[in-house]
Amino acid sequence: MSASTTNASGQPTEETPTLHLARWTVTSGSNVNSRGAVVIAAGDHQWEAATEGNGAVDALFRAIDRALADVLTGHPRLLAYDVHAVAEGPDAEGRATVSIAPPSGAEGARGSGSYTGESTSTNIIAASIDAYVAAINLLLAEEHWAGATDDAGNRKRARVAANDAKARRAELDEEAGRIDTTEWFNQ
């Protein structure tokens, strides 16, 4: 899977992301509401949330929004969401492109701009949420959002392996408590 971002002038950026999805899960079906749960990490901060939506991607976008509400002081506005196949066949990758704007309540410089994230994967749900997080990372990379993740604090600690930055995986601190995603879905 690969993810990329473009800045406000449409130029691609190759920065280390501020946030990454440590874990996510979703349940969806024809006769039930979709439920999504995420764990998002940045440095030694970690946020988690679960929520329902009108489909798998919507549930996960809403979970990301809920997890990051204190970081962004609101929810990003979804401007565009596009998914298309890169090739054909059962193993073909899909490319998801997500464009967002800052939360409607953001003031001053934090309230302007649009940010586009893109991700490609054989799992279109994974590509979609990675693209969404890539767009949020681009928003947070702006100078006027500096320190937003630190200012928001965290509920649990995560240690990110320095030599594994490219894979962007978090090693959870077991002493901080376990996350029972099954329990989230049984609520």
Side-chain angles (χ1 to χ4, degrees):
M1 179 178 329
S2 62
S4 64
T5 54
T6 56
N7 61 21
S9 61
Q11 300 300 312
T13 63
E14 295 297 330
E15 298 177 10
T16 302
T18 303
L19 305 170
H20 72 273
L21 286 162
R23 287 195 311 264
W24 63 271
T25 187
V26 67
T27 60
S28 191
S30 61
N31 294 323
V32 297
N33 287 332
S34 296
R35 292 183 179 189
V38 297
V39 176
I40 300 171
D44 67 346
H45 298 292
Q46 182 173 303
W47 300 269
E48 60 186 63
T51 191
E52 294 183 349
N54 65 13
V57 172
D58 182 56
L60 287 165
F61 280 13
R62 288 174 188 247
I64 291 167
D65 289 349
R66 180 175 285 173
L68 299 178
D70 290 339
V71 174
L72 299 172
T73 59
H75 305 298
R77 293 176 286 143
L78 184 63
L79 301 176
Y81 170 61
D82 178 60
V83 178
H84 66 276
V86 178
E88 60 182 59
D91 294 330
E93 291 186 323
R95 180 171 295 132
T97 306
V98 176
S99 294
I100 63 167
S104 57
E107 297 179 359
R110 284 189 170 188
S112 63
S114 65
Y115 307 89
T116 300
E118 187 174 85
S119 183
T120 303
S121 175
T122 55
N123 181 332
I124 202 61
I125 294 171
S128 297
I129 60 174
D130 283 342
Y132 192 57
V133 171
I136 293 170
N137 276 327
L138 188 57
L139 177 145
L140 290 172
E142 295 282 4
E143 182 178 333
H144 43 269
W145 284 95
T149 56
D150 291 329
D151 293 344
N154 64 340
R155 290 184 238 164
K156 294 190 179 197
R157 294 283 180 184
R159 294 184 307 272
V160 178
N163 61 352
D164 199 20
K166 188 168 186 151
R168 291 175 276 165
R169 299 285 184 234
E171 178 184 329
L172 296 181
D173 181 355
E174 295 299 326
E175 293 178 18
R178 299 206 49 84
I179 298 166
D180 184 356
T181 56
T182 304
E183 182 58 32
W184 278 337
F185 294 125
N186 290 331
Q187 295 178 7

